[in-house]
Amino acid sequence: MTGASGTVGREVVRRLPPEHALRVMTRRPAAYGETRPGMQVVGGDFTDEDSLARAVRGVTTAFLVTSPLAAGWDERFLRAAHHAHVERVVKLSAAAVLDPGADDAITRRQRACEDIVRTAGPAWTLLRPRAFMSNTLTWAHTIRTERTVRALHRSSPVACVDPRDVAEIAVHALTEPEHAGHAYEITGPAALTAIQQTAHLAHLLGHRLHCQEWGENAARTAWRRHHPEPVVDALLHSARRQQAGAKAHVRTTIPDTTGHPARPYTTWATDHLTAFT
Ligand SMILES: NC(=O)c1ccc[n+]([C@@H]2O[C@H](COP(=O)([O-])OP(=O)(O)OC[C@H]3O[C@@H](n4cnc5c(N)ncnc54)[C@H](OP(=O)(O)O)[C@@H]3O)[C@@H](O)[C@H]2O)c1
């Protein structure tokens, strides 16, 4: 498992049935927080090919979480996996790869990474989730300090998904052979706008919240502090696609695969409410 300390990966670790031996790769093994019987935690870094070779030795199935902003990670990991005769790779990708209008640098890279996985040798499964509900954790600070959410195109809907549902599908893909050669688009149960998510949070918190339009100029200025210009452009492009309705369709992958309804935003928010208080 790569990405095992991340949003989706840590939920996969919690859900993987105990009969499956598990090796977790992280840059900081001593800081890794999850425990389970028989789990191995090893050091590894996508920028260090030797560490990847050590991490995949003896592995039959790999969960691959990379960043579409980083060059070479998928290539290096898949090379190591192929050499080590890894039989299957389940990759966390993104629903944007399916959007015909998505031609930004991040989505182009995500599509290229999918191609690498499909042609590397091991059997593959691609998971393509829509935006994670947990992205709204970025609102926590201004909710706590100003009772305000600042969102770009606040009335545009996205069929956001609970990362725990993505993790459940990942567990099916990792443990059941019939998912090899398949790609799954994964959405939540409804398309919600930032205004609607803010209203749900306000209801659960028991006080008013204001959802303010952030504006492209303010978003660009804030993102420039953390990202290079092509990434900022890609994020703005993605927000405009959302405004045009490209992210609103709902898929039934979660109920079809797990047998239970996709978790609604109110469930995610209830379970993470302390982050906003
Ligand atoms: N957020 C969304 O709305 C969304 C929607 C669709 C798809 N996605 C996709 O989901 C993926 C991210 O998943 P996530 O949100 O679960 O991850 P995350 O919470 O961002 O965690 C990142 C993980 O990557 C690992 N990592 C970072 N740098 C590394 C390196 N140099 N070598 C090895 N491991 C490294 C970290 O492990 P350590 O720190 O332990 O080393 C950590 O476990 C991306 O591909 C993204 O495109 C995200």
Side-chain angles (χ1 to χ4, degrees):
M1 283 238 7
T2 63
S5 60
T7 307
V8 172
R10 68 171 163 263
E11 299 294 343
V12 177
V13 170
R14 289 171 189 163
R15 286 168 171 75
L16 200 67
E19 64 269 24
H20 296 280
L22 174 62
R23 181 184 299 154
V24 157
M25 182 190 101
T26 166
R27 288 167 299 171
R28 295 177 302 142
Y32 187 69
E34 302 291 325
T35 53
R36 63 180 251 152
M39 180 171 72
Q40 261 185 303
V41 181
V42 301
D45 192 312
F46 288 120
T47 62
D48 172 359
E49 198 138 6
D50 291 342
S51 75
L52 298 177
R54 287 191 295 274
V56 295
R57 199 169 293 146
V59 166
T60 53
T61 306
F63 186 56
L64 179 57
V65 181
T66 57
S67 165
L69 305 181
W73 288 12
D74 290 77
E75 289 89 332
R76 273 183 221 111
F77 185 85
L78 268 302
R79 236 181 349 252
H82 182 58
H83 277 127
H85 305 291
V86 171
E87 292 164 17
R88 190 144 50 112
V89 174
V90 177
K91 176 179 166 61
L92 184 58
S93 182
V97 299
L98 297 166
D99 296 348
D103 190 30
D104 58 273
I106 296 176
T107 310
R108 284 199 303 271
R109 172 70 191 152
Q110 196 73 272
R111 290 192 188 108
C113 291
E114 286 198 352
D115 288 343
I116 292 163
V117 170
R118 272 191 292 249
T119 54
W124 52 268
T125 305
L126 300 170
L127 307 182
R128 296 166 168 167
R130 214 20 111 191
F132 300 160
M133 292 174 179
S134 50
N135 293 352
T136 58
L137 286 170
T138 59
W139 300 343
H141 180 69
T142 56
I143 285 181
R144 285 195 303 263
T145 56
E146 302 173 43
R147 296 197 170 186
T148 297
V149 166
R150 287 191 192 86
L152 190 52
H153 308 311
R154 63 184 172 163
S155 52
S156 65
V158 57
C160 54
V161 61
D162 190 320
R164 295 173 295 188
D165 285 333
V166 180
E168 281 188 33
I169 293 189
V171 169
H172 282 277
L174 288 163
T175 58
E176 298 163 359
E178 64 265 31
H179 302 288
H182 291 276
Y184 297 102
E185 185 181 9
I186 308 169
T187 75
L192 290 181
T193 67
I195 293 173
Q196 290 169 318
Q197 288 174 310
T198 305
H200 286 310
L201 288 169
H203 177 74
L204 292 169
L205 290 166
H207 60 68
R208 288 170 69 92
L209 288 175
H210 178 50
C211 184
Q212 187 183 323
E213 181 56 49
W214 202 15
E216 286 207 358
N217 286 341
R220 185 182 279 281
T221 305
W223 287 334
R224 271 180 177 155
R225 285 188 213 116
H226 306 284
H227 302 294
E229 205 59 23
V231 173
V232 173
D233 284 341
L235 294 171
L236 288 170
H237 190 276
S238 169
R240 284 187 207 128
R241 273 190 288 114
Q242 181 167 321
Q243 189 184 26
K247 305 183 186 180
H249 58 258
V250 168
R251 300 286 183 230
T252 58
T253 315
I254 291 168
D256 293 348
T257 311
T258 68
H260 68 69
R263 292 173 172 89
Y265 183 71
T266 46
T267 299
W268 179 88
T270 302
D271 295 342
H272 296 84
L273 204 60
T274 51
F276 300 95
T277 59

